Amino acid sequence: MSDTFVIALIGAAVSAVTMIPFIRHKRSLERRTANAEIVAEKYGLKEPASLHPVIDPGICIGTGSCLADVCPEHDVLGLSSGVATVVSPARCIGHGLCERACPVGAIKLVFGTESRGVDIPRIDSNFETNVPGMFIVGELGGMGLIRNAFEQGRQCIEWIARHKVSAPPGVLDVLIVGCGPAGLSASINCIHHGLKFKTIEREEIGGTVRTYPRKKLVMTAPLKIPGYGKLAVREIQKEDLVSIWDGIIEKTGLEVQTNEVVNAVGRRPDGTFEVITNKGEYLAKRVVLAIGRRGVPRKLGIEGETLEKVAYSLREPEAYQGDRIVVVGGGDSAVEAAIALADQPGNKVSLSYRKDRFSRIKQGNHIRIHEAIEKKKVSFLPNSTLTAIHQEQVAVDFSGDVKSMPNDYVFIFAGGVLPTPFLESCGIAIDTKFGQA
């Protein structure tokens, strides 16, 4: 037996030892993907809510580096026929970890699809809009994840600090509108960089998170917060997160002017912004909008929607007991509200949804809501729409058959709408994204 043959035999053996685990791993990923595809079809997870990944199969080399516990949401991506594939785009909430993990740049995050557009304010990589000196961070710019919002607030203020322009007496370096995650981060980083600033908030500190039902788990990730330290959590209950934010504000000495609403933003000839609120007037060289999208709830446009019994968020489920309640919507917020209300003594909860099955909600919520329906804790009304709301009943249309139902309260979770009139009054351009970054 020649030395060459022996060397070749050894090489083949080494290759086999190396490749067999790799091949087994890829086959395991493909089996998992096949199962995930079944779940995605069953639960309607094929239609993305907003930001989601797309993959260029011509570039993908099938390493699986975007799959191996990279995404905390799990099974957004899978492996099929040797290349990565999008399995459950509705689960994506914009982490972007898969995009960064890809070694060949085959993944990018986009807004909307070819058939369904998403309206997004026009901003550049520094979060500056088409109006020089005016910035948008957080959910308003399409990024709803808490960690992303915090990071955008930090990056935006760091850029402003590096490109600081002289502000005369009486003029702020920065005016921050909104104090949810993005606005809070921007404010803290203004303190860190020694900028003259004010933060105003139309409601309470915390933004949309404060409107979540009690005990709702909020996805986040470790954050380094100037003046406070490291916030090393990945899942946290809403009350605990709000408590931490209150502690951050106390420790950093941040002052937020709450219950103050911006009525108009104008610009003087010298480039200074003039911001008029319900409580006064401010002058600032830069304005950062961190007002979110969900702060403007989408209305149904039906009779009775202005009654006091109608609400668009749920903060304290335990305040409702022994009531007849209709929850409208099929997303995570609607499902979570229905479950929370159904857990209260004596409530009779109906969940009205315009489709025949839930889509774009977390798998855990799918499991919980189906359990609640099977146990008759929640009455599911598929293919239904509310047509009118009255003091003691509601009218519900079941594919042309309108029925009256006794009712005490209505909770509507139809999503939020972009505050387009306000943005346009500021001169900010709005782009409709159809599967675009």
Side-chain angles (χ1 to χ4, degrees), residues 299-307 309-312 324-329 349-355 379-414:
K299 303 295 181 68
L300 300 182
I302 61 175
E303 177 187 353
E305 199 169 1
T306 59
L307 292 175
K309 64 185 280 186
V310 180
Y312 299 89
R324 300 162 298 180
I325 302 169
V326 171
V327 178
V328 179
V349 179
S350 298
L351 179 56
S352 171
Y353 188 37
R354 58 188 174 84
K355 297 183 180 180
S379 175
F380 181 43
L381 310 178
N383 299 312
S384 67
T385 56
L386 258 65
T387 58
I389 302 172
H390 305 291
Q391 202 64 54
E392 296 185 0
Q393 67 267 343
V394 294
V396 185
D397 186 338
F398 295 88
S399 301
D401 181 15
V402 180
K403 297 181 179 179
S404 179
M405 294 176 53
N407 173 262
D408 298 306
Y409 295 99
V410 175
F411 289 89
I412 300 172
F413 296 92

Side-chain angles (χ1 to χ4, degrees), residues 226-271:
Y228 178 82
K230 190 174 183 180
L231 179 58
V233 292
R234 290 190 178 275
E235 279 193 355
I236 187 170
Q237 293 181 342
K238 164 235 177 152
E239 295 89 344
D240 295 334
L241 182 60
V242 171
S243 177
I244 288 173
W245 285 351
D246 290 340
I248 291 171
I249 290 170
E250 181 178 356
K251 186 173 181 179
T252 59
L254 174 63
E255 295 182 3
V256 180
Q257 296 171 215
T258 57
N259 300 307
E260 187 164 0
V261 181
V262 174
N263 294 324
V265 179
R267 200 162 193 180
R268 294 185 168 188
D270 64 355

Side-chain angles (χ1 to χ4, degrees), residues 177-194:
V177 183
C179 198
L184 178 60
S185 175
S187 302
I188 294 168
N189 279 280
C190 278
I191 295 175
H192 178 65
H193 289 286

Side-chain angles (χ1 to χ4, degrees), residues 1 17 39 79 119 153 161 190 202 234 238 336:
M1 186 181 294
V17 170
V39 172
L79 195 69
D119 289 338
C190 278
R202 65 181 300 164
R234 290 190 178 275
K238 164 235 177 152
E336 288 160 359

Side-chain angles (χ1 to χ4, degrees), residues 159-174 194-196 267 270-273 283-286:
W159 189 92
I160 289 174
R162 288 197 306 269
H163 300 83
K164 183 178 178 181
V165 292
S166 178
V171 178
L172 301 169
D173 292 319
V174 186
L195 299 175
K196 293 186 299 181
R267 200 162 193 180
D270 64 355
T272 300
F273 289 99
L283 298 177
K285 300 302 291 184
R286 268 53 181 273

